[in-house]
Amino acid sequence: MPLDDDILERVERTAFSIVTTAIENYKDEITKMFREEDDKPQDIAEDAMREAIEELGVSKIRERLYGRVDVKKAIFVFLPEAIPVALMVDAKAEKHNGDRTATMQMSQMSMRVRVRRKDTSMDERGKLDTELKRKNRTLHVVTIVVKFSYVERDDGHHDVKNITLACIPSGRLQDRYNPNADDGIWLMGRDSPQRGEDFRIRVSFEKLTAKAAWRVHGIWM
């Protein structure tokens, strides 16, 4: 069904609440996984996020989704009417460093990125669709990033210091969140155009919070 922008925000907020609740409920197990497992932190983060969402449970739609994110689920979000959603959740694991941003690829969002690189105004298109068509159903894409911030222990394992979750706005909400290069939620990424690296961008938790406080949620361990 077609959604107006305010309803779409409610869909995103509700889906975000599902994921934040899943991580909150599973944080003791996440702490244990990082302290005891021998895998790389990024692999542990991906496993922890999947397990947390599975442990909470969601109302599933039997549709296979594709994309360059770690968790891809077709679910219903209830407002209370059932809204089909393509839930896209990506995990990031980084050493604890202030946790102001999370790096994203353009394949992980439907928004355009309008930002300044030095004196140049950039406008890069997100590669996700805002909606996915499956048979007679339209799924509204919701993108969430979960950043696990950790420190290394003397025994070679890791302690998670905090987890920051951010709900990236749909491209349909472009004018609300990033209408131009001087008004947005982004900081330049760490890609190097000189080396031919793919364009990456960092979502600023501070800037996103200023636009809508509910879109960023921090969990201290």
Side-chain angles (χ1 to χ4, degrees), residues 47-131:
D47 288 344
M49 188 180 65
R50 290 191 192 98
E51 290 179 19
I53 294 173
E54 289 172 3
E55 179 75 12
L56 179 70
V58 293
S59 50
K60 301 177 183 178
I61 301 173
R62 293 188 179 276
E63 298 286 358
R64 184 175 295 277
L65 303 181
Y66 303 92
R68 296 182 63 180
V69 296
D70 299 312
V71 171
K72 302 170 283 291
K73 285 185 176 293
I75 68 172
F76 282 114
V77 165
F78 297 95
L79 296 184
E81 64 275 18
I83 308 295
V85 164
L87 183 64
M88 306 284 188
V89 191
D90 201 62
K92 315 285 184 184
E94 296 183 10
K95 290 185 178 179
H96 185 63
N97 61 0
D99 307 309
R100 297 173 54 244
T101 67
T103 300
M104 301 192 66
Q105 302 173 41
M106 299 308 295
S107 59
Q108 297 174 332
M109 69 182 76
S110 61
M111 285 192 78
R112 301 189 74 88
V113 170
R114 293 167 177 164
V115 68
R116 290 195 182 277
R117 173 174 262 160
K118 298 182 180 178
D119 295 328
T120 303
S121 177
M122 305 189 69
D123 188 342
E124 295 284 334
R125 182 181 63 85
K127 297 180 181 179
L128 272 182
D129 294 326
T130 59
E131 298 174 347

Side-chain angles (χ1 to χ4, degrees), residues 17-216:
S17 178
I18 292 170
V19 177
T20 56
T21 300
I23 299 294
E24 288 270 17
N25 288 354
Y26 208 63
K27 67 180 183 180
D28 289 343
E29 189 64 29
I30 291 170
T31 296
K32 182 179 178 182
M33 291 172 70
F34 272 86
R35 285 183 176 174
E36 296 182 358
E37 294 186 10
D38 294 323
D39 292 336
K40 295 179 180 178
Q42 179 63 34
D43 295 334
I44 299 172
E46 292 172 14
D47 288 344
M49 188 180 65
R50 290 191 192 98
E51 290 179 19
I53 294 173
E54 289 172 3
E55 179 75 12
L56 179 70
V58 293
S59 50
K60 301 177 183 178
I61 301 173
R62 293 188 179 276
E63 298 286 358
R64 184 175 295 277
L65 303 181
Y66 303 92
R68 296 182 63 180
V69 296
D70 299 312
V71 171
K72 302 170 283 291
K73 285 185 176 293
I75 68 172
F76 282 114
V77 165
F78 297 95
L79 296 184
E81 64 275 18
I83 308 295
V85 164
L87 183 64
M88 306 284 188
V89 191
D90 201 62
K92 315 285 184 184
E94 296 183 10
K95 290 185 178 179
H96 185 63
N97 61 0
D99 307 309
R100 297 173 54 244
T101 67
T103 300
M104 301 192 66
Q105 302 173 41
M106 299 308 295
S107 59
Q108 297 174 332
M109 69 182 76
S110 61
M111 285 192 78
R112 301 189 74 88
V113 170
R114 293 167 177 164
V115 68
R116 290 195 182 277
R117 173 174 262 160
K118 298 182 180 178
D119 295 328
T120 303
S121 177
M122 305 189 69
D123 188 342
E124 295 284 334
R125 182 181 63 85
K127 297 180 181 179
L128 272 182
D129 294 326
T130 59
E131 298 174 347
L132 300 180
K133 305 292 185 181
R134 293 290 186 273
K135 300 175 184 176
N136 296 322
R137 180 180 283 134
T138 298
L139 293 92
H140 303 277
V141 176
V142 176
T143 301
I144 296 168
V145 59
V146 183
K147 180 178 177 180
F148 297 78
S149 178
Y150 66 89
V151 295
E152 293 184 356
R153 295 164 55 92
D154 291 338
D155 61 7
H157 294 102
H158 307 88
D159 281 330
V160 179
K161 302 299 289 184
N162 63 281
I163 304 170
T164 305
L165 301 93
C167 185
I168 309 303
S170 165
R172 285 200 26 213
L173 303 173
Q174 188 77 45
D175 289 343
R176 293 189 181 190
Y177 289 92
N178 186 205
N180 56 63
D182 298 310
D183 183 2
I185 59 174
W186 312 108
L187 296 174
M188 287 306 305
R190 299 181 177 89
D191 59 289
S192 172
Q194 291 79 10
R195 293 198 296 267
E197 294 178 348
D198 289 340
F199 180 81
R200 289 180 293 172
I201 196 69
R202 290 179 294 156
V203 58
S204 166
F205 299 143
E206 181 179 5
K207 289 185 175 185
L208 185 54
T209 298
K211 292 281 189 180
W214 67 263
R215 286 189 179 271
V216 178

